[in-house]
Amino acid sequence: MHPGSIVRCRNREWVVMPADTDEVIVLRPLTGTPDDVVHIHRKLMNLVGGALPFERITPASFPLPTTDDISDATSAHLLWQAARLTLREGATPFRSLGRISIRPRTYQFVPLLMALRLDPVRLFIADDVGVGKTIEALLVARELLDRGEIRRFCVLCPPYLCEQWAQELTEKFNLEPVIIRSGTVGQLDRQTPAGRSLYEHFPIQVASLDFVKTERNRSQFLQFCPELVIADEVHGAAAAPGTNQQERHELLRAVARKADRHLILLTATPHSGIEDAFRSLLGLLHPKFGTWNLQTLTETQRTELARHFVQRTRRDIAQTWQETACFPTRESTDETYALSDRHRELFERTYAFCSEIVRTGAHLEKRQRRVRYWGALALLRCVMSSPAAARTALTNRAGVPPEEEAEAEAFGRLVFESAEDRTDDESPAPAVEAANTTLPETDRRRLRELARLAEQLHGPDDDTKLARVIAIVRRLLQEGFHPILWCRYVATADYLADHLRQALETAAQVVCVTGRMGDDERQARIADLDAERPRVLVATDCLSEGVNLQELFTAVIHYDLPWNPNRLEQREGRVDRYGQRARRVRVIRFFGQDNPIDGVVLEVLLDKAREIHRTLGTHVPVPEESESVTQAVLQALFLRQGPRALKRQLALNLGVPEVEAFHQRWQQDAERERLNRTRFAQRALKPEEVQREVEATDAVLGDPTAVRHFFLAAAQRLGLAVAQEKQPGVFRVSVSRQATATLPEPIRLALPSPKGERWLISFDSPTPEGAEYIGRNHRFVATLARYLFEAALNQPGNATVSRCGAIRTRAVTALTTILLLRVRYLVEQLQAPALLSEEVLVLAYAGLEAGTTRWLDTSDALRLLAEAQPDANLSLAEKRELVTHILDNLGAWQAESAERWGAAHPLQSAIREHVARRANELTESHKRIRQAVALRIRGLAVKPQFPPDLLGILVLQPMVSR
């Protein structure tokens, strides 16, 4: 018994699979998948085999077709499709494609090709926001797993992304991850056997980087660290001495220290503008990369780094890879509002008050000056945000004040959006209250009066910002968009959501998500939305980084402009990304016409960011000094007196020299990014080269077109009603109780239960809006293929699909036989376990007698199988006569040992030669993929296992000329 052979045990046939040890025999059902394998312990089998003979493993053979099982060409074609769609361990180099539930785009295979040419895999994927880095990384992980090169891997990510990674692993890559963070570790410990670490026990892990980096967890994680680690949002783990970020970096350095560990780094913003920080990340790939001057790389250095580093813009992908359909068109517009008289009074009085306390505080000690400044900024942001945020900041007690040395950082988080960590969306009341302590009683009374004014502004009558956005939302809904409204503070989000619900009533669902909710509650709020009805999401920046919202939302309104352009791009990237089903998304910058603070933010930061994006085709992170430059401009605005102080001024006219230097620095960063993306866009890998390997895999496993043909043909045969919708590429499946009453039970149970008793599906990716993607590994396709395959093998005479067919056709001029063969191969390689692979070959020959046969090209055989149609009737007796003759000519299929099979029989010998040639083609394909890893290539061989399984026969009899 060797891997690939067929045996009998427990009253059924099995295929022997490779095993890690000689003590265990691994068996897979003849028509099953790797998910169905069982492990038989040899000693235990021998122990019970005397009393229970059916527990013994004995040699067996694949059952041959018989003349009792004859149908037509459609049945034979359906059998071929069902057989290859059940394959999970395809014979081509990309083994992972047999097990994933998505259809990756061609450009997403580039990191996988790079990874397969590295040993160990040390890869930095820095593609644009929304390109699909998660899919790119998990393709590599799944491939290494399916090749047996790793057994365990861990994704390290920010805590708020754990659920999303787990969902991607489960739904798209058919893996079963566990989430490791503070709220789950107790339960996981209880599931872990005594004496083992949870990091050792669970093979697929998604762990919070901030949880693992702590002193309590770090050493145990490193002790049992898996063979592969994927680190997401790694820009937040660059070297930054004296910070939490440095602890993350130290953990990744320790992970990378093990020379043979695979490591994949992910971020859309690898370079923050700090050269040392970027080099610290490159040093995780190889220590020498961390010492290189990236501005003066030699061609040899650039070539070596390019083997590990990929960075592409969406524009580059669309132009180089012809992948324009992958991403929606982003329509960027500006919308403005004018303050009402009462709102203008609040703003002007607040602005005057803030300017005054900043100016009059010039004589105070440094800390008091700083406290007043932060209090003024916080109060202005709240008044600009909403009356609710203003009232909250002015009336709420702040609780325990921060330590004096931490004040600037603590107040800054409440005013500016964080570039690295999740933004604090709570009220900046601590900054306002701290400033309050430095004010005389007269100024405190003025603050209380401002609070009363804010209280009176609630609602669209006086809050023109609110009234205007309600009108914009109504317009977007009428145009078919589903918008997200981004807010700076929780109070604003709650206020806005309440008024939108009142205004829209039943016209749309309105959901509010803020940082006060736990991750699970946020996910549940979004999951509860009805995807078939209009919907509006009001959210703070707790959702703006890493969370995918493209399946439900198609527009973005920046209700509060962020004071960090990086956050602007992150917000928009939640909907404008790979997987967005809408062809266009709308993004709206929303600001006040007569608001000087919005003017500063726009002209110092956001307009420059937009200019760079339009020129370069990608987002360039704002330099780290943006916050200090913005503060300097606002300080100058506060110090300006007179009527002009409240008029919107160009920031460059405020007399702040830092702005021009800041813009020059940003432009230099943009030029550096342009060069990097030119150097590391992996243009040496040509689309046709990648496409060749994908098409070779499709030929074995079935491409989306094959899935569509199979689904529709099988549905017709089984009586499942499927109709084409008006929307291109969308089909409607009737799943009502009445429509599915006559279906076989396994098929009926596999159907979903959508609302309205109709299931909208599509075989295209990206999938049209409102439809569910149906790929080869979709649960229903898998059930359908397996049911038909098992029915053909176990239920001879089944009317739906059969193993033999015969037709009279004009497609041939000589009697032609098409053979459906399932071939198993052992992929052997040095220093790695052997792998079992399979494919379904279609061979065809013309002629009756062995000595006069002519073998057709594989392409001709496939064409005949797909296109040959009956042109005249053929009686059942004639069909049986033809099939009997062919079976007799093929000879005794299992008469010889595997080594000698086919040696003494002309037809079998020819089949053996075809299979051997195919094995050589596969060997070359595997070597081509791993061409840069010499050791792996030297020991690699794809060896066929004989005899192949004879799945079916289709005989084509030519029309007789008269």
Side-chain angles (χ1 to χ4, degrees):
M1 289 182 295
H2 56 81
S5 61
I6 296 175
V7 298
R8 186 171 180 81
C9 178
R10 299 178 182 175
N11 300 320
R12 66 185 299 186
E13 280 72 39
W14 307 77
V15 176
V16 179
M17 306 292 288
D20 297 332
T21 171
D22 291 337
E23 295 180 357
V24 172
I25 303 171
V26 182
L27 304 178
R28 189 202 70 199
L30 200 58
T31 57
T33 68
D35 297 332
D36 306 315
V37 298
V38 298
H39 294 70
I40 306 289
H41 199 284
R42 288 182 185 270
K43 290 182 179 179
L44 187 59
M45 175 187 70
N46 293 331
L47 186 64
V48 302
L52 303 171
F54 56 82
E55 285 287 339
R56 286 192 179 279
I57 298 176
T58 57
S61 59
F62 192 84
L64 294 174
T66 70
T67 55
D68 296 328
D69 190 19
I70 295 181
S71 186
D72 54 18
T74 302
S75 180
H77 190 268
L78 204 54
L79 172 62
W80 170 60
Q81 295 283 35
R84 66 179 184 151
L85 288 174
T86 59
L87 296 179
R88 292 294 176 266
E89 295 166 318
T92 54
F94 293 150
R95 289 179 67 87
S96 56
L97 296 193
R99 303 192 187 215
I100 63 176
S101 302
I102 55 169
R103 174 71 178 182
R105 308 300 295 192
T106 304
Y107 74 87
Q108 291 175 325
F109 285 94
V110 168
L112 175 58
L113 283 170
M114 294 171 64
L116 292 178
R117 296 171 182 179
L118 296 171
D119 187 24
V121 176
R122 292 290 174 102
L123 203 57
F124 198 148
I125 305 175
D127 287 343
D128 256 359
V129 171
V131 161
K133 293 182 290 298
T134 300
I135 289 173
E136 292 173 340
L138 290 182
L139 265 178
V140 177
R142 180 86 233 200
E143 187 69 30
L144 294 179
L145 203 64
D146 292 340
R147 288 169 174 264
E149 296 181 25
I150 62 171
R151 295 185 180 279
R152 301 182 301 126
F153 72 86
C154 177
V155 176
L156 291 175
C157 62
Y160 51 87
L161 294 183
C162 287
E163 277 83 5
Q164 182 174 304
W165 272 98
Q167 184 178 3
E168 296 283 297
L169 282 161
T170 303
E171 295 180 359
K172 296 179 179 176
F173 290 85
N174 294 311
L175 294 169
E176 298 180 1
V178 295
I179 294 176
I180 302 174
R181 62 182 180 198
S182 56
T184 64
V185 71
Q187 181 181 359
L188 294 176
D189 276 334
R190 289 190 291 273
Q191 298 173 22
T192 304
R196 287 172 66 90
S197 165
L198 67 89
Y199 300 107
E200 177 187 20
H201 178 64
F202 295 102
I204 313 297
Q205 306 165 15
V206 177
S208 161
L209 177 56
D210 286 340
F211 176 77
V212 173
K213 74 176 174 61
T214 61
E215 187 175 346
R216 179 180 178 182
N217 301 306
R218 184 175 184 272
S219 60
Q220 191 177 117
F221 173 77
L222 291 174
Q223 182 180 355
F224 300 106
C225 187
E227 305 101 306
L228 165 66
V229 171
I230 299 171
D232 192 18
E233 303 292 353
V234 76
H235 57 273
T243 65
N244 279 337
Q245 186 168 312
Q246 183 66 21
E247 293 179 3
R248 299 176 194 142
H249 182 70
E250 292 299 332
L251 175 69
L252 292 184
R253 280 186 61 192
V255 167
R257 204 167 285 134
K258 192 171 187 294
D260 61 349
R261 177 168 288 127
H262 306 291
L263 180 64
I264 302 175
L265 309 178
L266 305 178
T267 178
T269 53
H271 204 310
S272 64
I274 306 174
E275 199 73 20
D276 289 345
F278 181 45
R279 281 202 296 263
S280 74
L281 295 176
L282 293 179
L284 298 173
L285 304 175
H286 194 289
K288 67 181 177 183
F289 295 161
T291 66
W292 288 357
N293 184 335
L294 300 174
Q295 307 306 316
T296 59
L297 289 177
T298 66
E299 185 58 27
T300 300
Q301 288 175 328
R302 189 206 66 79
T303 301
E304 184 174 0
L305 183 57
R307 293 181 60 217
H308 301 263
F309 185 55
V310 56
Q311 186 176 27
R312 298 170 294 178
T313 68
R314 283 173 36 165
R315 181 183 296 176
D316 180 69
I317 289 168
Q319 292 174 351
T320 306
W321 297 86
Q322 294 84 50
E323 295 280 16
T324 52
C326 285
F327 309 111
T329 300
R330 184 189 296 193
E331 301 174 353
S332 300
T333 63
D334 288 346
E335 296 281 358
T336 63
Y337 61 92
L339 296 175
S340 67
D341 291 341
R342 297 181 72 180
H343 204 162
R344 182 178 293 105
E345 180 187 1
L346 172 65
F347 180 79
E348 291 181 355
R349 288 176 63 174
T350 304
Y351 182 84
F353 174 80
C354 292
S355 297
E356 184 178 328
I357 66 170
V358 171
R359 289 196 305 272
T360 59
H363 66 281
L364 299 175
E365 60 170 307
K366 181 179 178 181
R367 174 184 173 274
Q368 289 179 315
R369 288 200 309 271
R370 185 177 62 199
V371 163
R372 282 197 177 191
Y373 170 75
W374 283 115
L377 275 187
L379 185 54
L380 269 177
R381 280 219 79 172
C382 288
V383 169
M384 291 162 49
S385 181
S386 70
R391 186 192 60 185
T392 301
L394 288 164
T395 59
N396 282 12
R397 302 298 297 174
V400 180
E403 296 292 333
E404 182 174 329
E405 59 272 15
E407 274 182 339
E409 181 182 351
F411 295 159
R413 285 199 305 268
L414 295 169
V415 176
F416 288 89
E417 291 84 358
S418 169
E420 308 297 344
D421 297 315
R422 184 177 287 186
T423 296
D424 189 338
D425 57 7
E426 285 296 344
S427 165
V432 176
E433 187 169 337
N436 195 19
T437 62
T438 71
L439 300 176
E441 181 57 31
T442 54
D443 284 341
R444 294 183 190 182
R445 283 198 299 271
R446 291 172 66 188
L447 276 178
R448 291 193 289 272
E449 179 59 26
L450 291 176
R452 282 192 291 273
L453 281 175
E455 182 71 42
Q456 296 167 7
L457 279 177
H458 275 239
D461 291 342
D462 290 306
D463 185 354
T464 47
K465 180 182 181 182
L466 173 65
R468 177 82 176 109
V469 89
I470 289 173
I472 294 171
V473 169
R474 281 199 174 109
R475 188 183 71 219
L476 288 173
L477 292 171
Q478 289 170 355
E479 294 178 23
F481 290 101
H482 308 287
I484 303 173
L485 289 87
W486 293 105
C487 304
R488 177 63 183 88
Y489 297 114
V490 173
T492 299
D494 289 339
Y495 166 80
L496 177 58
D498 287 343
H499 284 284
L500 280 170
R501 291 189 189 101
Q502 294 173 32
L504 299 175
E505 296 180 330
T506 59
Q509 309 162 83
V510 178
V511 170
C512 183
V513 174
T514 69
R516 288 183 185 171
M517 303 170 186
D519 289 329
D520 292 343
E521 186 181 355
R522 291 179 204 141
Q523 297 286 342
R525 288 280 182 98
I526 295 170
D528 286 344
L529 285 167
D530 184 348
E532 296 184 5
R533 291 181 54 216
R535 50 204 172 272
V536 177
L537 173 64
V538 180
T540 62
D541 285 309
C542 67
L543 283 182
S544 69
E545 187 170 2
V547 179
N548 295 339
L549 299 169
Q550 73 274 16
E551 292 186 1
L552 288 170
F553 300 98
T554 55
V556 163
I557 301 174
H558 300 285
Y559 189 75
D560 292 327
L561 289 179
W563 287 12
N564 185 324
N566 298 346
R567 189 61 63 185
L568 190 88
E569 180 65 20
Q570 287 159 352
R571 289 174 173 184
E572 295 174 1
R574 297 313 97 215
V575 299
D576 183 13
R577 62 190 302 108
Y578 174 78
Q580 172 59 260
R581 297 176 180 182
R583 293 187 177 181
R584 60 194 182 113
V585 296
R586 184 80 52 82
V587 297
I588 297 173
R589 300 191 310 184
F590 187 54
F591 53 90
Q593 299 171 359
D594 41 11
N595 184 330
I597 308 299
D598 278 350
V600 167
V601 173
L602 282 164
E603 291 160 18
V604 175
L605 299 173
L606 303 187
D607 285 348
K608 186 65 177 178
R610 178 179 281 185
E611 174 194 331
I612 290 173
H613 190 283
R614 285 173 174 167
T615 302
L616 191 60
T618 188
H619 168 70
V620 176
V622 62
E624 63 170 344
E625 63 265 31
S626 68
E627 204 170 292
S628 60
V629 172
T630 305
Q631 290 181 43
V633 176
L634 292 172
Q635 181 88 358
L637 201 61
F638 283 149
L639 295 177
R640 175 168 292 206
Q641 301 185 48
R644 293 183 58 205
L646 276 177
K647 292 182 180 179
R648 185 175 172 194
Q649 297 288 325
L650 283 175
L652 297 179
N653 291 338
L654 288 172
V656 183
E658 291 96 331
V659 173
E660 185 174 357
F662 168 69
H663 282 179
Q664 289 176 352
R665 165 73 187 282
W666 204 351
Q667 198 65 50
Q668 291 169 0
D669 286 354
E671 177 61 18
R672 183 204 63 236
E673 286 295 297
R674 186 189 66 79
L675 290 174
N676 279 350
R677 291 170 192 268
T678 300
R679 292 170 174 170
F680 303 113
Q682 299 299 326
R683 293 193 176 95
L685 282 171
K686 302 300 182 185
E688 56 271 18
E689 177 185 350
V690 179
Q691 190 62 31
R692 176 181 61 184
E693 305 302 342
V694 175
E695 289 174 355
T697 303
D698 283 342
V700 173
L701 299 176
D703 63 7
T705 301
V707 174
R708 184 179 75 249
H709 289 162
F710 169 74
F711 188 106
L712 298 178
Q716 185 178 21
R717 285 253 163 163
L718 291 167
L720 178 63
V722 181
Q724 176 92 48
E725 287 280 278
K726 290 182 180 179
Q727 188 178 4
V730 178
F731 295 82
R732 181 182 70 255
V733 183
S734 298
V735 293
S736 67
R737 182 174 298 181
Q738 182 179 0
T740 61
T742 60
L743 292 177
E745 185 177 14
I747 304 300
R748 188 173 66 252
L749 294 176
L751 285 167
S753 301
K755 295 178 181 178
E757 298 184 332
R758 63 186 198 125
W759 180 29
L760 296 181
I761 64 171
S762 176
F763 305 95
D764 300 333
S765 177
T767 309
E769 191 172 0
E772 182 176 349
Y773 176 66
I774 303 295
R776 73 178 307 276
N777 291 324
H778 187 279
R779 62 191 183 282
F780 185 72
V781 173
T783 301
L784 199 57
R786 184 166 180 175
Y787 173 80
L788 293 177
F789 190 37
E790 289 183 346
L793 294 184
N794 302 326
Q795 303 172 27
N798 184 286
T800 306
V801 61
S802 57
R803 298 179 63 187
C804 297
I807 61 171
R808 187 171 289 153
T809 178
R810 292 189 178 90
V812 297
T813 58
L815 188 73
T816 302
T817 303
I818 299 176
L819 304 177
L820 305 183
L821 303 172
R822 183 170 67 175
V823 185
R824 282 179 289 281
Y825 307 92
L826 273 185
V827 182
E828 297 180 347
Q829 47 192 345
L830 289 177
Q831 300 178 354
L835 303 172
L836 186 69
S837 296
E838 294 178 310
E839 69 175 331
V840 179
L841 289 182
V842 179
L843 302 182
Y845 63 91
L848 262 179
E849 303 303 326
T852 62
T853 55
R854 175 178 59 84
W855 289 89
L856 278 62
D857 290 339
T858 301
S859 59
D860 291 332
L862 288 169
R863 179 181 54 80
L864 286 173
L865 178 62
E867 299 176 5
Q869 297 295 323
D871 293 309
N873 290 333
L874 202 59
S875 69
L876 181 59
E878 289 175 303
K879 289 182 179 182
R880 283 182 171 163
E881 182 181 353
L882 284 170
V883 171
T884 299
H885 192 74
I886 297 299
L887 286 173
D888 290 343
N889 279 349
L890 286 172
W893 200 259
Q894 287 96 10
E896 299 286 350
S897 65
E899 293 75 15
R900 289 187 47 78
W901 185 84
H905 192 286
L907 283 176
Q908 292 180 11
S909 178
I911 292 170
R912 186 180 185 108
E913 289 178 11
H914 275 87
V915 172
R917 281 199 300 272
R918 175 59 178 160
N920 289 335
E921 291 174 4
L922 291 171
T923 299
E924 291 307 309
S925 180
H926 279 265
K927 288 182 176 180
R928 186 170 61 245
I929 288 292
R930 308 209 73 159
Q931 61 185 359
V933 189
L935 180 63
R936 296 284 173 86
I937 289 178
R938 276 201 301 272
L940 195 150
V942 180
K943 297 182 177 180
Q945 306 300 295
F946 292 104
D949 300 339
L950 181 57
L951 299 180
I953 297 170
L954 176 63
V955 184
L956 307 179
Q957 186 185 60
M959 295 287 289
V960 178
S961 302
R962 294 185 180 180

